[in-house]
Amino acid sequence: MTHLTLTIDNTDQARATWQYLTQSSSEVAADIGDTILNFLTNRLGMEEEYIDSQVKTIFIDGKPVDDITTATIPENARIALGAIAPGAAGMTMCRNSPISSLRSGITYTNTEPVTTITEGVVTLLLFNAVMKDMGLQILEKGVTIPAAKLEQATKDAPDSILSATLDETSITPEELLHWVQKNPQTKIHLRVTSTS
């Protein structure tokens, strides 16, 4: 797999541009069979206090999660994380909502008992405040995406890229954009760090 490491400027514009990559599907490492709570804390590096106060909407394979201590991650899971969405629908999908009984038929439940935990990959999407709060932290840990997803960010904020290394070779933002346009379907493992 191709590896790309970016160092970006620590500015509002740079952070806003690059964190939006986590609003579309990316692949991240996960322990298949482990709980969603352990995934959030151990793999994504979220504090439990932050999870309790901010990560109010969690979907596994399109189904809302209530109990993050018992909901386990299936193989090839698609996980979406967000704060409370607006309106009645948002409140209904919120974990442990007073009106969560209204969607009991679609609430996520473990379908098979977990016998072993194995290392694997899940598809992750972040939304609203969670994306803004945690997007760069997750990019720093590393995500796998098609190269094409980098094109807009590289075009919108080339000056935000202070350094770029593609498979251990330094390249300029202009060279990166050219490479992305030439290899849009290539999967890359991306890590983004920002200056302090």
Side-chain angles (χ1 to χ4, degrees):
M1 182 177 295
T2 299
H3 292 262
L4 174 64
T5 302
L6 302 178
T7 301
I8 63 169
D9 200 5
N10 188 18
T11 63
D12 290 343
Q13 180 187 1
R15 289 192 298 271
T17 297
W18 291 98
Q19 70 192 5
Y20 274 101
L21 287 177
T22 59
Q23 198 170 28
S24 60
S25 301
S26 59
E27 295 177 356
V28 298
D31 296 308
I32 306 305
D34 206 353
T35 65
I36 191 73
L37 174 60
N38 286 344
F39 170 69
L40 297 177
T41 55
N42 298 340
R43 288 294 189 168
L44 301 187
M46 295 184 183
E47 299 288 339
E48 287 195 41
E49 294 80 6
Y50 177 82
I51 297 167
D52 290 339
S53 64
Q54 299 299 322
V55 187
K56 295 296 188 179
T57 307
I58 300 174
F59 289 90
I60 297 178
D61 294 335
K63 297 182 177 183
V65 173
D66 279 325
D67 190 343
I68 60 176
T69 64
T70 61
T72 56
I73 300 173
E75 192 172 357
N76 300 316
R78 186 176 178 88
I79 299 173
L81 309 173
I84 297 177
M91 178 59 74
T92 304
M93 295 301 167
C94 179
R95 61 188 177 96
N96 300 317
S97 165
I99 56 174
S100 61
S101 60
L102 297 176
R103 45 102 169 139
S104 58
I106 62 167
T107 299
Y108 180 81
T109 55
N110 299 323
T111 56
E112 297 179 8
V114 176
T115 56
T116 58
I117 295 174
T118 58
E119 186 167 357
V121 172
V122 297
T123 300
L124 179 68
L125 302 92
L126 305 183
F127 295 103
N128 51 43
V130 175
M131 182 266 297
K132 292 177 182 176
D133 293 342
M134 303 303 300
L136 285 181
Q137 177 174 311
I138 290 167
L139 289 176
E140 187 169 351
K141 290 180 175 294
V143 300
T144 299
I145 58 174
K149 291 190 177 180
L150 287 172
E151 182 173 357
Q152 198 60 50
T154 307
K155 281 181 177 178
D156 288 348
D159 294 341
S160 70
I161 302 173
L162 301 180
S163 67
T165 305
L166 186 67
D167 284 340
E168 301 184 1
T169 300
S170 294
I171 58 173
T172 66
E174 293 77 14
E175 290 170 333
L176 173 61
L177 178 59
H178 177 73
W179 183 88
V180 165
Q181 291 171 333
K182 190 176 178 181
N183 302 278
Q185 299 307 315
T186 300
K187 273 196 170 183
I188 60 167
H189 185 73
L190 170 69
R191 290 188 66 242
V192 178
T193 60
S194 63
T195 57
S196 55

